[in-house]
Amino acid sequence: MDSADSLADGVRAGRRAAVSRAITLMESSHPDHRSEARVLLAALEAPAQPAVRVGISGLPGVGKSTFIETLGRQLTTAGHRVGVLAVDPSSQRTGGSVLGDKTRMPRLATDPDAYIRASPSAGTLGGVARATSQAILVLEAAAYDVVLVETVGVGQSETTVAGMVDTFLFLTLARTGDQLQGIKRGILELADVIAVNKADGDRRTEAQAAARELSGALRLVHGREAAPAVVTCSGLSGDGVDAVWAEVLDHRSRLGVDGLAGKRSHQRLEFAWALVRDELEQRLRRSEPVRRVRAQVREQVLRGELPAVAAADRILAAYDGDPDDDTGEPVN
Ligand code: GDP
């Protein structure tokens, strides 16, 4: 591994190999690498103009990779440098990376002004989030002025991604089932811009109707001013992709310079606490004294001999190394 200084030089010069090595360093959970990563980050400078950070989410099959490929190409053609990162906690289970895979975006992957990075395939969501948030800083220091963070529309990963971007774009399809699911899971609450994708061929009219319906529903819920913009597009044909991007930039510019800075400051603070919670949970899992009481506590709770509150107290006492951890409370 290069020294942090020469790696920082390589990143600043925008050299791909250096960017890749730096991000690999950010992904490592090894304590030595973690401290090297901190040294490297300290040596990197934030860009003069904050990069545009956009989260892109949607269920598998909604057309994320096709959309990102088209959008990415439009942006690099317009002179931007585009970084694509992925947050995909499901890849832990399958052992492979589903998102951000280069083969999913073949043209963008060979574009000299684009950098695509697959989701790290190991670790907790917190670990993946830590790597991703630091990778954003690496890309920005390497003069990528647009960073797209892709995530699959399942579970906790959207909230995590929404906490590291300026604008959150949600891709959906005209089928009402998908929209309702989105609303139910609260993902639409996070969305700043919604695009009904695959608005092409026979589906065009259906998509436009779905967008109007969704827009109306969201205005009822959020009020006209606060409701996210709803547009249609086709990532495949490219129709409307520029309009989606215009809405993204519009949302971001409505935040204003101070608003954006404030949002990022709060995100940093939130993220610091999220990392602490993640780390504490890992320590709890690894704790030897907790392991020792776990089986007994489990049996007693399942048999109805130990109330939940007392069980929690006993586990915490074991974790804190309190020898007097028998609360001996009766069952309620
Ligand atoms: P992802 O899983 O969300 O990344 O979705 P993909 O981009 O891999 O697309 C899933 C499928 O939908 C593929 O067969 C694509 O060719 C198709 N697809 C993607 N975008 C569009 C679109 O805008 N219009 C149409 N008709 N099909 C699309």
Side-chain angles (χ1 to χ4, degrees):
M1 188 64 76
D2 307 32
S3 76
D5 278 344
S6 71
L7 199 50
D9 286 344
V11 169
R12 267 195 295 267
R15 282 198 283 278
R16 301 178 81 85
V19 170
S20 293
R21 275 203 301 279
I23 295 178
T24 302
L25 188 60
M26 302 303 160
E27 288 171 0
S28 172
S29 56
H30 192 285
D32 290 352
H33 293 165
R34 275 203 190 182
S35 58
E36 271 181 64
R38 274 196 297 272
V39 172
L40 175 63
L41 282 175
L44 295 176
E45 282 145 42
Q49 286 288 330
V52 178
R53 301 175 182 171
V54 180
I56 299 181
S57 178
L59 294 175
V62 75
K64 291 181 296 300
S65 52
T66 309
F67 176 86
I68 292 173
E69 167 132 304
T70 301
L71 173 65
R73 296 282 291 168
Q74 288 184 2
L75 291 171
T76 58
T77 304
H80 294 285
R81 279 165 56 80
V82 179
V84 180
L85 299 168
V87 172
D88 178 17
S90 65
S91 66
Q92 296 159 33
R93 267 175 274 131
T94 57
S97 284
V98 181
L99 294 179
D101 192 335
K102 290 181 184 157
T103 58
R104 294 168 67 238
M105 303 168 198
R107 283 177 299 149
L108 198 58
T110 54
D111 187 327
D113 291 319
Y115 182 91
I116 302 177
R117 181 77 175 199
S119 179
S121 60
T124 58
L125 176 57
V128 173
R130 169 197 290 269
T132 306
S133 71
Q134 295 184 338
I136 292 176
L137 301 176
V138 170
L139 288 175
E140 290 176 354
Y144 288 90
D145 60 335
V146 175
V147 179
L148 306 176
V149 185
E150 180 188 10
T151 184
V152 74
V154 187
Q156 192 47 37
S157 58
E158 273 86 9
T159 317
T160 306
V161 171
M164 39 176 100
V165 296
D166 308 330
T167 301
F168 194 77
L169 167 64
F170 183 68
L171 296 183
T172 185
L173 295 177
R175 292 199 306 273
T176 16
D178 289 345
Q179 290 166 24
L180 291 180
Q181 234 181 338
I183 292 168
K184 213 163 47 190
R185 291 196 317 262
I187 284 166
L188 292 185
E189 308 283 311
L190 297 173
D192 301 304
V193 179
I194 296 167
V196 180
N197 195 27
K198 304 194 186 181
D200 45 41
D202 297 346
R203 291 165 149 185
R204 197 189 165 98
T205 320
E206 192 191 355
Q208 286 165 345
R212 273 196 301 276
E213 197 182 312
L214 191 53
S215 176
L218 288 167
R219 282 176 182 198
L220 278 181
V221 177
H222 297 282
R224 182 174 279 269
E225 285 302 306
V230 185
V231 287
T232 60
C233 70
S234 167
L236 198 59
S237 73
D239 279 355
V241 171
D242 52 350
V244 175
W245 189 246
E247 291 294 351
V248 166
L249 294 183
D250 183 57
H251 167 265
R252 191 169 177 277
S253 71
R254 269 185 282 125
L255 290 173
V257 174
D258 292 345
L260 182 63
K263 179 170 184 165
R264 288 189 174 187
S265 300
H266 281 101
Q267 285 178 329
R268 278 193 291 274
L269 186 60
E270 266 302 308
F271 194 53
W273 280 106
L275 290 175
V276 169
R277 283 191 293 273
D278 186 65
E279 178 61 27
L280 284 180
E281 196 172 330
Q282 297 308 310
R283 289 186 192 181
L284 188 63
R285 272 183 220 284
R286 287 194 303 259
S287 156
E288 205 34 62
V290 170
R291 246 181 239 176
R292 281 198 292 271
V293 300
R294 180 174 290 168
Q296 194 196 21
V297 167
R298 178 188 147 85
E299 281 311 305
Q300 291 184 342
V301 171
L302 290 181
R303 280 204 302 265
E305 293 168 9
L306 190 66
V309 171
D313 284 346
R314 193 179 295 178
I315 293 167
L316 288 170
Y319 181 73
D320 288 338
D322 184 350
D324 185 23
D325 66 355
D326 189 3
T327 49
E329 275 180 47
V331 181
N332 295 321

